[in-house]
PDB file of all heavy atoms in Angstrom:
ATOM      1  N   ASN A 826     -10.692  48.490  48.833  1.00 85.00           N
ATOM      2  CA  ASN A 826      -9.265  48.708  48.573  1.00 85.00           C
ATOM      3  C   ASN A 826      -9.239  50.069  47.850  1.00 85.00           C
ATOM      4  O   ASN A 826      -9.524  50.287  46.702  1.00 85.00           O
ATOM      5  CB  ASN A 826      -8.594  47.713  47.675  1.00 85.00           C
ATOM      6  CG  ASN A 826      -8.546  46.396  48.341  1.00 85.00           C
ATOM      7  OD1 ASN A 826      -9.330  45.559  47.995  1.00 85.00           O
ATOM      8  ND2 ASN A 826      -7.604  46.153  49.039  1.00 85.00           N
ATOM      9  N   ILE A 827      -9.058  51.187  48.607  1.00 90.00           N
ATOM     10  CA  ILE A 827      -9.100  52.473  48.021  1.00 90.00           C
ATOM     11  C   ILE A 827      -8.005  53.468  48.277  1.00 90.00           C
ATOM     12  O   ILE A 827      -7.860  54.533  47.701  1.00 90.00           O
ATOM     13  CB  ILE A 827     -10.442  53.183  48.524  1.00 90.00           C
ATOM     14  CG1 ILE A 827     -10.604  52.978  50.065  1.00 90.00           C
ATOM     15  CG2 ILE A 827     -11.637  52.601  47.778  1.00 90.00           C
ATOM     16  CD1 ILE A 827     -11.895  53.637  50.579  1.00 90.00           C
ATOM     17  N   GLY A 828      -7.185  53.292  49.292  1.00 89.00           N
ATOM     18  CA  GLY A 828      -6.179  54.408  49.787  1.00 89.00           C
ATOM     19  C   GLY A 828      -4.848  54.126  49.127  1.00 89.00           C
ATOM     20  O   GLY A 828      -4.622  53.122  48.491  1.00 89.00           O
ATOM     21  N   LYS A 829      -3.985  55.210  49.236  1.00 93.00           N
ATOM     22  CA  LYS A 829      -2.732  55.168  48.705  1.00 93.00           C
ATOM     23  C   LYS A 829      -1.745  55.881  49.655  1.00 93.00           C
ATOM     24  O   LYS A 829      -2.124  56.890  50.192  1.00 93.00           O
ATOM     25  CB  LYS A 829      -2.574  55.884  47.297  1.00 93.00           C
ATOM     26  CG  LYS A 829      -3.371  55.260  46.277  1.00 93.00           C
ATOM     27  CD  LYS A 829      -3.249  56.073  44.851  1.00 93.00           C
ATOM     28  CE  LYS A 829      -3.924  55.365  43.757  1.00 93.00           C
ATOM     29  NZ  LYS A 829      -5.373  55.462  43.841  1.00 93.00           N
ATOM     30  N   THR A 830      -0.492  55.320  49.809  1.00 94.00           N
ATOM     31  CA  THR A 830       0.575  55.932  50.537  1.00 94.00           C
ATOM     32  C   THR A 830       1.830  55.914  49.754  1.00 94.00           C
ATOM     33  O   THR A 830       2.046  55.218  48.751  1.00 94.00           O
ATOM     34  CB  THR A 830       0.806  55.255  51.878  1.00 94.00           C
ATOM     35  OG1 THR A 830       1.203  53.861  51.570  1.00 94.00           O
ATOM     36  CG2 THR A 830      -0.482  55.199  52.766  1.00 94.00           C
ATOM     37  N   GLN A 831       2.866  56.685  50.281  1.00 95.00           N
ATOM     38  CA  GLN A 831       4.069  56.747  49.628  1.00 95.00           C
ATOM     39  C   GLN A 831       5.270  56.752  50.653  1.00 95.00           C
ATOM     40  O   GLN A 831       5.156  57.504  51.686  1.00 95.00           O
ATOM     41  CB  GLN A 831       4.151  57.936  48.694  1.00 95.00           C
ATOM     42  CG  GLN A 831       5.565  58.215  48.095  1.00 95.00           C
ATOM     43  CD  GLN A 831       5.592  59.492  47.256  1.00 95.00           C
ATOM     44  OE1 GLN A 831       5.003  59.604  46.165  1.00 95.00           O
ATOM     45  NE2 GLN A 831       6.398  60.455  47.859  1.00 95.00           N
ATOM     46  N   ASN A 832       6.268  56.162  50.337  1.00 95.00           N
ATOM     47  CA  ASN A 832       7.478  56.195  51.207  1.00 95.00           C
ATOM     48  C   ASN A 832       8.710  56.553  50.259  1.00 95.00           C
ATOM     49  O   ASN A 832       8.788  55.881  49.283  1.00 95.00           O
ATOM     50  CB  ASN A 832       7.778  54.798  51.959  1.00 95.00           C
ATOM     51  CG  ASN A 832       6.889  54.739  53.173  1.00 95.00           C
ATOM     52  OD1 ASN A 832       7.196  55.288  54.341  1.00 95.00           O
ATOM     53  ND2 ASN A 832       5.873  53.894  52.930  1.00 95.00           N
ATOM     54  N   ARG A 833       9.616  57.354  50.769  1.00 95.00           N
ATOM     55  CA  ARG A 833      10.838  57.591  50.024  1.00 95.00           C
ATOM     56  C   ARG A 833      11.922  57.713  51.147  1.00 95.00           C
ATOM     57  O   ARG A 833      11.636  58.181  52.154  1.00 95.00           O
ATOM     58  CB  ARG A 833      10.784  58.721  48.975  1.00 95.00           C
ATOM     59  CG  ARG A 833      10.373  60.119  49.777  1.00 95.00           C
ATOM     60  CD  ARG A 833      10.031  61.175  48.772  1.00 95.00           C
ATOM     61  NE  ARG A 833       9.654  62.379  49.342  1.00 95.00           N
ATOM     62  CZ  ARG A 833      10.376  63.414  49.835  1.00 95.00           C
ATOM     63  NH1 ARG A 833      11.642  63.225  49.801  1.00 95.00           N
ATOM     64  NH2 ARG A 833       9.984  64.484  50.447  1.00 95.00           N
ATOM     65  N   GLY A 834      13.074  57.480  50.738  1.00 95.00           N
ATOM     66  CA  GLY A 834      14.236  57.498  51.773  1.00 95.00           C
ATOM     67  C   GLY A 834      15.573  57.265  51.196  1.00 95.00           C
ATOM     68  O   GLY A 834      15.759  56.990  49.928  1.00 95.00           O
TER      69      GLY A 834
END
Side-chain angles (χ1 to χ4, degrees):
N826 297 101
I827 46 180
K829 294 183 177 69
T830 60
Q831 176 183 287
N832 281 280
R833 56 187 177 87

